[in-house]
Amino acid sequence: QVQLVESGGGLVQPGGSLRLSCTASGSGFSLYKMAWFRQAPRKQREFVAAIFSGGTNYLDSVKGRFTITRDNAKNTVYLQMNALKPEDTAVYFCNARNGGFDFWGQGTQVTVSS
């Protein structure tokens, strides 16, 4: 029903910035609640940020550093990540949710290391 493709990951030093993008194919993008999750090696997948008609939600540890935005005309959601820390290292996944159904992208690797 919807396919998601993430991009923008890479290697960055602590304190640096990255901007992730997730582009959706299919119809009805504006009706989906969009979110970012991440999964570090040998760890469970963790919620990072979400954006919906009523506003945004963030994981406490990324508040003030990460910003989620969306452009419905481009079927794209973004995650601007500033002041990155080594503990932000993970594969970041884009998520779309509608009516209890979840759709996931393939993930993009973010590595924060000196």
Side-chain angles (χ1 to χ4, degrees):
Q1 300 195 28
V2 60
Q3 291 181 280
L4 308 172
V5 179
E6 303 97 331
S7 63
L11 175 65
V12 64
Q13 294 187 22
S17 297
L18 285 172
R19 188 195 193 201
L20 306 183
S21 298
C22 171
T23 299
S25 62
S27 62
F29 177 80
S30 65
L31 302 178
Y32 285 83
K33 179 180 178 179
M34 302 299 300
W36 289 94
F37 289 71
R38 66 188 183 187
Q39 188 165 18
R42 299 171 300 280
K43 299 287 187 177
Q44 295 186 30
R45 193 167 295 188
E46 175 183 47
F47 167 81
V48 177
I51 185 165
F52 50 95
S53 61
T56 56
N57 287 329
Y58 294 94
L59 176 68
D60 282 346
S61 63
V62 309
K63 270 190 173 177
R65 300 189 297 121
F66 291 12
T67 303
I68 185 171
T69 58
R70 69 191 293 168
D71 186 339
N72 289 339
K74 297 180 179 179
N75 284 3
T76 301
V77 62
Y78 305 92
L79 186 67
Q80 178 67 47
M81 305 185 294
N82 299 323
L84 283 161
K85 304 174 180 180
E87 49 263 48
D88 296 318
T89 296
V91 177
Y92 283 70
F93 295 91
C94 180
N95 168 263
R97 173 169 287 184
N98 183 33
F101 294 92
D102 281 323
F103 303 91
W104 298 91
Q106 84 289 347
T108 185
Q109 177 70 49
V110 172
T111 302
V112 185
S113 176
S114 59

